[in-house]
Amino acid sequence: MANEPTTSSPSSLPLPDFLDQVQITSLPPIAYYISDFITQEEEQAILDKIAAAPKPRWKQLTHRRLQTWPSDLVNNKLMEVPLPAWLDEPIVSRLQSIRLSPDSESSHIFFDSPHQKPNHVLINEYPPGIGIMPHKDGAAYHPVVCTVSLSASLCLNIYKSKDDGTLDPNPAWRVLQEPRSLLITTSSLYTDFLHGIADITEDIELSKSTIANWDLLRSPDDYADGCNVRKTRTSLTYRDVMKVSKLGGKLGLFQKK
């Protein structure tokens, strides 16, 4: 397992000036990976807020659970309620602070989304041995997904279809997501490929030749034995829901603290 690095302050986070500095070039367009996107203090503060959420906030699935902020989607629409402050800062402003490239006229990854920032967060908790089947995120969202990982590492598998249109069960690529990291997927990687997490307790055969973002990892030497024993990992998935209804904002039906 990877050892935890020393605690750093937000000002000392090694954030890139431009996303093209952290592009995962071995993947189809386009993915970016930042190994240290939040500090250990920020990570713990978010985990404390998740744990303190009212019990009705949790949706219990068969083997895992999740929270949806500010609300669930209804007919692919989101009620117009702001994200709680602890999910907004520091992550959203940090996403908006990193330009795509020196040559790009766009200012940040959400520059051309309907609301120019994420308005929806899905919090997934993955115990060891529990994953999620290959899937696409769907048409309700602007095609940008920003995932912040908390507490533990695991591999995200990316799948492509065979010539006959059926899904190849073997992942075409794997991305190792470390605690406090940010993974951004967009463009054809979002629209044309499926992603999932295997139901395993240990990620194996980890190496430069098998992990797409190996050169961008915080400490690839920590996985020199090729293994990652899973612990409970929590993910924050930030997206911009394209259609928004003002009804929720007027009635305050979905704004739970």
Side-chain angles (χ1 to χ4, degrees), residues 134 159-162 166-172:
Y159 300 84
K160 58 183 179 180
S161 298
K162 300 178 182 179
T166 61
L167 180 68
D168 188 336
N170 299 310

Side-chain angles (χ1 to χ4, degrees), residues 70-92:
S71 68
D72 291 327
L73 272 62
V74 179
N75 297 325
N76 282 345
K77 287 186 178 181
L78 178 70
M79 300 303 175
E80 191 179 49
V81 178
L83 290 171
W86 57 274
L87 284 173
D88 186 45
E89 288 295 335
I91 291 175
V92 173

Side-chain angles (χ1 to χ4, degrees), residues 57-243:
R57 266 291 173 188
W58 286 106
K59 180 180 180 180
Q60 187 65 52
L61 306 181
T62 304
H63 298 294
R64 62 185 184 89
R65 59 182 186 165
L66 57 85
Q67 294 181 23
T68 307
W69 294 88
S71 68
D72 291 327
L73 272 62
V74 179
N75 297 325
N76 282 345
K77 287 186 178 181
L78 178 70
M79 300 303 175
E80 191 179 49
V81 178
L83 290 171
W86 57 274
L87 284 173
D88 186 45
E89 288 295 335
I91 291 175
V92 173
S93 63
R94 210 163 283 173
L95 288 171
Q96 294 177 310
S97 72
I98 306 174
R99 291 177 57 194
L100 289 176
S101 72
D103 303 325
S104 175
E105 295 182 0
S106 59
S107 55
H108 55 78
I109 193 66
F110 283 100
F111 83 101
D112 62 347
S113 78
H115 306 97
Q116 298 190 329
K117 65 177 183 178
N119 58 7
H120 186 263
V121 180
L122 185 63
I123 301 176
N124 280 295
E125 186 180 80
Y126 293 98
I130 303 301
I132 186 170
M133 65 183 296
H135 66 281
K136 292 183 179 181
D137 286 355
Y141 308 98
H142 179 74
V144 171
V145 180
C146 297
T147 303
V148 177
S149 294
L150 309 175
S151 297
S153 302
L154 56 65
C155 278
L156 179 75
N157 297 331
I158 300 174
Y159 300 84
K160 58 183 179 180
S161 298
K162 300 178 182 179
D163 293 338
D164 62 4
T166 61
L167 180 68
D168 188 336
N170 299 310
W173 302 275
R174 292 192 296 166
V175 177
L176 182 57
Q177 296 177 267
E178 302 165 288
R180 300 180 297 283
S181 69
L182 168 69
L183 175 66
I184 301 176
T185 57
T186 183
S187 191
S188 64
L189 188 60
Y190 177 95
T191 57
D192 299 343
F193 297 87
L194 285 75
H195 57 278
I197 297 170
D199 295 324
I200 55 179
T201 58
E202 184 177 11
D203 298 293
I204 61 172
E205 298 180 358
L206 308 179
S207 69
K208 183 180 178 67
S209 63
T210 62
I211 299 300
N213 61 323
W214 186 262
D215 291 335
L216 295 171
L217 294 176
R218 179 187 304 126
S219 300
D221 289 346
D222 292 334
Y223 306 97
D225 62 354
C227 297
N228 170 57
V229 178
R230 290 191 185 175
K231 298 180 180 179
T232 297
R233 176 254 194 177
T234 301
S235 65
L236 313 177
T237 302
Y238 283 76
R239 292 173 290 201
D240 187 3
V241 179
M242 293 191 286
K243 295 181 180 180

